[in-house]
Amino acid sequence: MLLPTWQKPKYDDCLWLIRIICLDIFRNKPVKLLLNILLICIIFLNIIQTILFVQISTRAYLIKYLPLYFSTFFILITIYTTPRLADGVVKCLENSDLWPTNAAGSTIEQKIKFEVVYFSTFVVLNICLSFISGILHAIPLDGDREIFYTLATIEDYLPQWKNVLCFMYRCGFLVLPMVMAAPFYITIYICSQMRFQAYMIFHLRELLGQKLVMNITDDKKYNKIIKKILVASIQRHSRILCVSSQILKDFRPFVFLFSITGALLMISLIFFMISFEGSFEGRYSRIGTMIVAAALVFIHVVVNGQMIEDITGRAFDDVLKSVDWSRWNKENKKIYLILLANCVKPFRLQFSESISLNYSLALAILKSIYSVMSLLWYIK
């Protein structure tokens, strides 16, 4: 392999394509160096723009440039966090002893393969759409200086270097869409890995009620098999909780920053769309591709979080509560009670007491966006 970080990991990775595109590439040292250079450049531009905001504090200037100004803070966080999240996720999974996809029979394996194909295809196609949006933003249009303050600053203060510096700045549009979406692709990756393990644990628990096990006449042999299934289920369940807790611990410090900068970015964009007095003619393809790519990422992240909650809730309601434990010995009944206690609460990707990755979070975000839009439209 050309890059050592692209070597096969220590775990059976069915989502290898997403891992290479969204994790391994950001763990490579040359890429990390380029990201650090980009980070320094954006910080430098932000300092300049902050000074200009203080000097030129007119309403029109703020309306034009605040969305891009706030978006740079979101970009800074994604650039800083993506390599660290990628390293943390891979290390956690390598130490987790994940089951291979064929560990629970052909039915579960086919289901996992279908989801692997679907989510891998989605990530590749959405990255292509984001890249198209980046190309459209990189192509010069009349009036770009009214939206991108860096172009206006270069033309006003460094006219002799305008062509070179503007070209370098526009090249950044080819990279930023991928970088900005990378933490969310990583979230899809880890949600899918945890969900696949949950499928196999779910299948393991289904064995408790299958006729093949129930028809064993020897009670001693029967209870021995039941104990083996129960213990394996508890061990796997505890292992997944341990790994997910470690990953959430790595994610948690950045969730607050993503929330604040994302909210500022959304509010400023809505304010810009409502208050901008210029023309969007010729920019609909830019706006359309950007909104569609962002919306698809948002939908798939939320759906992945909700699917984990659904499968773990179903494991308790449809399987464990319906098990016929009348032939079990006391030891197995005690183990069964431990398993019930562990599974009574569905597993959630919970970043705080009030924030979990599910449909409720998506609905709250959409309600907030609608409220902001209504308020800004009323003020206008």
Side-chain angles (χ1 to χ4, degrees), residues 193-252:
Q193 291 286 7
M194 293 298 100
R195 188 173 65 257
F196 297 159
Q197 296 299 305
Y199 285 154
M200 288 182 273
I201 294 178
F202 184 78
H203 174 74
L204 184 65
R205 292 168 183 170
E206 283 183 326
L207 295 177
L208 295 171
Q210 285 189 359
K211 293 182 179 179
L212 185 65
V213 176
M214 297 295 291
N215 289 338
I216 298 176
T217 55
D218 186 346
D219 283 348
K220 187 175 181 181
K221 182 180 179 182
Y222 170 75
N223 278 287
K224 185 177 180 181
I225 295 174
I226 293 296
K227 180 181 178 181
K228 186 177 180 180
I229 296 173
L230 290 172
V231 171
S233 182
I234 291 176
Q235 289 175 342
R236 281 290 162 179
H237 186 267
S238 300
R239 194 64 180 165
I240 287 183
L241 289 180
C242 181
V243 173
S244 59
S245 298
Q246 181 60 46
I247 293 174
L248 287 175
K249 185 179 178 181
D250 294 336
F251 270 74
R252 197 167 286 120

Side-chain angles (χ1 to χ4, degrees), residues 4-147:
T5 53
W6 287 8
Q7 293 178 355
K8 186 177 180 180
K10 297 178 182 178
Y11 57 96
D12 180 30
D13 191 8
C14 53
L15 293 165
W16 59 270
L17 183 59
I18 300 178
R19 190 197 75 245
I20 291 175
I21 296 174
C22 304
L23 284 89
D24 287 352
I25 194 170
F26 293 106
R27 300 176 65 220
N28 188 256
K29 289 183 179 179
V31 175
K32 287 183 177 180
L33 178 62
L34 291 174
L35 290 178
N36 288 331
I37 294 172
L38 185 60
L39 189 71
I40 293 170
C41 292
I42 294 176
I43 292 173
F44 177 71
L45 291 174
N46 263 23
I47 293 172
I48 294 176
Q49 183 57 33
T50 303
I51 295 172
L52 291 175
F53 272 138
V54 173
Q55 293 177 348
I56 311 170
S57 57
T58 63
R59 175 178 175 274
Y61 190 85
L62 293 175
I63 289 175
K64 286 193 298 184
Y65 297 136
L66 267 181
L68 188 64
Y69 180 72
F70 283 131
S71 70
T72 55
F73 290 101
F74 187 84
I75 293 169
L76 286 173
I77 293 173
T78 56
I79 293 174
Y80 178 79
T81 59
T82 298
R84 290 160 178 79
L85 291 177
D87 285 336
V89 167
V90 172
K91 288 178 182 178
C92 283
L93 292 180
E94 285 183 343
N95 296 326
S96 63
D97 188 27
L98 296 180
W99 268 338
T101 56
N102 60 356
S106 58
T107 304
I108 299 297
E109 184 181 8
Q110 291 301 317
K111 183 177 183 179
I112 291 174
K113 284 183 177 179
F114 173 78
E115 293 192 15
V116 167
V117 172
Y118 173 80
F119 285 110
S120 298
T121 304
F122 159 72
V123 169
V124 171
L125 292 179
N126 209 58
I127 287 174
C128 293
L129 182 61
S130 302
F131 187 68
I132 291 172
S133 179
I135 293 174
L136 293 173
H137 280 80
I139 297 173
L141 292 176
D142 293 336
D144 274 352
R145 61 166 288 142
E146 301 298 320
I147 299 175

Side-chain angles (χ1 to χ4, degrees), residues 128-189:
C128 293
L129 182 61
S130 302
F131 187 68
I132 291 172
S133 179
I135 293 174
L136 293 173
H137 280 80
I139 297 173
L141 292 176
D142 293 336
D144 274 352
R145 61 166 288 142
E146 301 298 320
I147 299 175
F148 304 109
Y149 62 79
T150 304
L151 297 177
T153 303
I154 292 171
E155 292 178 6
D156 292 340
Y157 296 97
L158 297 169
Q160 67 275 21
W161 296 95
K162 180 177 70 173
N163 293 333
V164 175
L165 293 178
C166 287
F167 174 78
M168 293 174 62
Y169 176 75
R170 290 183 182 277
C171 287
F173 289 123
L174 305 178
V175 179
L176 289 179
M178 175 60 190
V179 176
M180 293 176 69
F184 303 99
Y185 292 138
I186 293 174
T187 303
I188 292 174
Y189 174 82

